[in-house]
Amino acid sequence: MFAGKKILVGICGGIAAYKICELVRELQRQGARIRTMLTPAATRFISPLTFASLTSAPAAVDLFAPSADDIEHIELAKWPDMIIITPATATTIAKCAHGLADNIVTATVLATRKPVMFIPAMNTGMWENPATANNVMRLHDFGYRVVEPEFGAMATRIEGAGAGRLPETETIISHVFQYQWPDKILDGVPLTITAGRTVEKIDPVRFISNHSTGRMGFAIANVAAAMGARVKLVHGPTHLRPPANVETFSVESARDMFEFTREHYPENGILIAAAAVADYRPLHYSCSKIKKQKDEFALPLIKNPDILLELKKLKNKSIHIGFALETNDVLANAAAKLSKKNLDFIVINNPVDEGAGFAFKTNKVKMLFPGGKILDFPLKDKLEVAAEILQNATRLLINKRATE
Ligand code: CTP
């Protein structure tokens, strides 16, 4: 996700400082080169040695430390592709909002011309204080990105669930990913995605479902948000955390997924159906657990609505993209779905391809267009696959808008 990217992480003096070790690790796992700097207060919560060990590079703490070719904060300010300040405390936010440069972190922020993202975490009272709100507004005005802290339990446990909590590492990674995305080709475009599996209940303890994790749909949502789209994600049960800047609707059954997708159907935008929807559900739901009886047991099923097919019939101006998961007669089956559902293109994948399918972070796809054009891609990270899908969708949307 961040292959070759140079990221400078500035750690401030808040209890969430310990969580930044995991963030640094995850950024590294995703290919980033990391350097770190700590405010004096941060060193009271966590040792610079921890970050030096994690990154195999010195953690900067001293504003006046001599450096080989430049003054340290000037050298640090020039080095990265982007800077992350986290947990951004009320004090560091206030200092940066007023151009103060009294420690290595604030001095580097003042000196840099690189993009800076603040990820605050603090006590709810401090976050909601008008002084902090005003300082955050100033940071926005200066062109910095400030991520909203989350609601939920914090170290002091005072006032329980107020805002101020540091987002989970996965969410921070999604914010960073979207921030460093270069082109906003979908700026303001409404885009709805279905993702994951549906669950069709048989009785209070059993259900019909499949192995879909939602990874592909979530990756599309993440990249679409990075490209500037207004993303709505209707998803079935999954362990995945939703990407940043995406409106999510968690559903269970195919019928619920249909209702929510219809309600949030994009007008003059893009609909991507990546969900593995159960084709059938039990005809009758049994309110009590079904008991074991004869050797053979037949469960009557009834067809679920085909979400994509039904929505396409509404004939709005959106681009419609489907997925075809096929194990045999791949192209013929996908071509039949493309034409039956009247799609703008269909993304074909085969779960038995190596590295492709449900739980993998990679996928190997083909895109089939009306008229028979095929784009065949090698095995790629699902985020890269998502970018290919969205670039093609954008091209079609631009053409459609131009011809209407
Ligand atoms: N789809 C949908 N609603 C359904 C079934 C499928 O919206 N009830 C969408 C999927 O999200 C996907 C496309 O239709 O984009 C094709 O889904 P797939 O399960 O591959 O095909 P089906 O149409 O269900 O046909 P079959 O199960 O016979 O392969």
Side-chain angles (χ1 to χ4, degrees):
M1 199 186 274
F2 303 112
K5 281 263 172 319
K6 291 188 279 184
I7 302 178
L8 173 63
V9 182
I11 299 115
C12 311
I15 179 59
Y18 77 94
K19 294 184 179 173
I20 310 310
C21 301
E22 181 52 36
L23 175 65
V24 165
R25 272 302 223 211
E26 194 50 40
L27 289 166
Q28 287 174 322
R29 260 183 235 126
Q30 313 255 2
R33 280 175 60 198
I34 306 289
R35 285 176 70 179
T36 53
M37 54 183 180
L38 289 85
T39 64
T43 64
R44 307 280 292 267
F45 286 92
I46 192 155
S47 163
L49 183 61
T50 308
F51 290 104
S53 309
L54 286 174
T55 60
S56 309
V61 286
D62 184 359
L63 181 57
F64 303 103
S67 156
D69 16 74
D70 224 333
I71 302 166
E72 183 151 43
H73 65 275
I74 303 296
E75 195 269 320
L76 275 177
K78 287 184 196 161
W79 175 80
D81 294 307
M82 73 174 285
I83 299 178
I84 301 171
I85 306 297
T86 185
T89 55
T91 303
T92 296
I93 287 173
K95 287 178 184 175
C96 293
H98 291 83
L100 299 187
D102 66 339
N103 63 45
I104 188 76
V105 172
T106 52
T108 305
V109 169
L110 193 65
T112 194
R113 288 164 194 237
K114 304 298 170 77
V116 181
M117 173 177 251
F118 288 83
I119 308 171
M122 66 191 75
N123 155 275
T124 305
M126 286 179 162
W127 174 251
E128 289 177 350
N129 189 298
T132 305
N134 203 276
N135 289 333
V136 167
M137 242 150 52
R138 288 175 69 94
L139 292 183
H140 281 298
D141 289 345
F142 293 161
Y144 300 123
R145 175 70 60 92
V146 185
V147 169
E148 284 285 307
E150 292 190 348
F151 289 78
M154 283 180 283
T156 54
R157 295 197 186 87
I158 302 167
E159 296 150 32
R165 194 171 192 276
L166 190 77
E168 294 300 324
T169 300
E170 220 177 313
T171 309
I172 295 179
I173 294 281
S174 170
H175 278 291
V176 177
F177 170 76
Q178 292 180 15
Y179 189 45
Q180 51 93 54
W181 192 266
D183 41 21
K184 304 286 172 207
I185 56 173
L186 284 171
D187 196 19
V189 171
L191 189 145
T192 300
I193 304 165
T194 67
R197 64 201 178 104
T198 64
V199 162
E200 313 297 330
K201 286 183 180 162
I202 299 170
D203 69 15
V205 291
R206 304 181 180 98
F207 57 81
I208 298 172
S209 195
N210 59 63
H211 291 299
S212 173
T213 58
R215 230 178 240 292
M216 191 63 243
F218 276 54
I220 298 172
N222 200 5
V223 178
M227 290 176 168
R230 289 191 283 118
V231 184
K232 297 186 178 190
L233 175 64
V234 184
H235 67 83
T238 174
H239 67 282
L240 298 176
R241 199 166 271 281
N245 304 312
V246 166
E247 196 178 347
T248 52
F249 305 91
S250 172
V251 298
E252 277 205 342
S253 68
R255 283 185 295 174
D256 289 347
M257 188 173 271
F258 181 40
E259 285 313 314
F260 274 86
T261 312
R262 183 162 54 185
E263 201 180 318
H264 297 282
Y265 189 41
E267 181 61 43
N268 203 1
I270 299 171
L271 176 76
I272 303 180
V277 186
D279 290 329
Y280 294 91
R281 66 179 182 276
L283 181 58
H284 303 291
Y285 171 75
S286 167
C287 294
S288 52
K289 188 183 164 200
I290 299 173
K291 299 303 286 178
K292 187 161 48 194
Q293 293 163 20
K294 297 180 200 138
D295 284 357
E296 284 188 14
F297 174 76
L299 183 70
L301 302 176
I302 184 163
K303 226 181 198 172
N304 268 327
D306 188 317
I307 303 168
L308 193 50
L309 188 71
E310 292 305 318
L311 290 181
K312 180 70 209 206
K313 284 184 196 161
L314 299 178
K315 290 198 182 358
N316 85 0
K317 293 179 185 159
S318 289
I319 296 295
H320 294 75
I321 300 162
F323 271 72
L325 187 75
E326 307 291 347
T327 53
N328 53 295
D329 299 329
V330 175
L331 274 179
N333 283 335
K337 279 176 198 174
L338 178 74
S339 97
K340 182 178 169 204
K341 302 193 187 195
N342 192 14
L343 304 174
D344 293 281
F345 68 91
I346 195 155
V347 184
I348 310 169
N349 52 353
N350 183 339
V352 296
D353 276 346
E354 200 171 328
F358 293 125
F360 286 97
K361 289 191 172 169
T362 49
N363 204 357
K364 187 174 180 327
V365 304
K366 290 185 176 70
M367 289 176 205
L368 177 64
F369 294 79
K373 185 177 109 176
I374 297 176
L375 297 179
D376 195 351
F377 297 91
L379 190 70
K380 281 173 179 265
D381 189 290
K382 281 186 174 166
L383 289 165
E384 290 173 310
V385 175
E388 299 283 2
I389 294 169
L390 290 164
Q391 273 146 10
N392 276 284
T394 309
R395 195 172 42 75
L396 293 176
L397 184 66
I398 291 170
N399 287 347
K400 197 168 204 171
R401 284 179 174 180
T403 54
E404 268 163 11

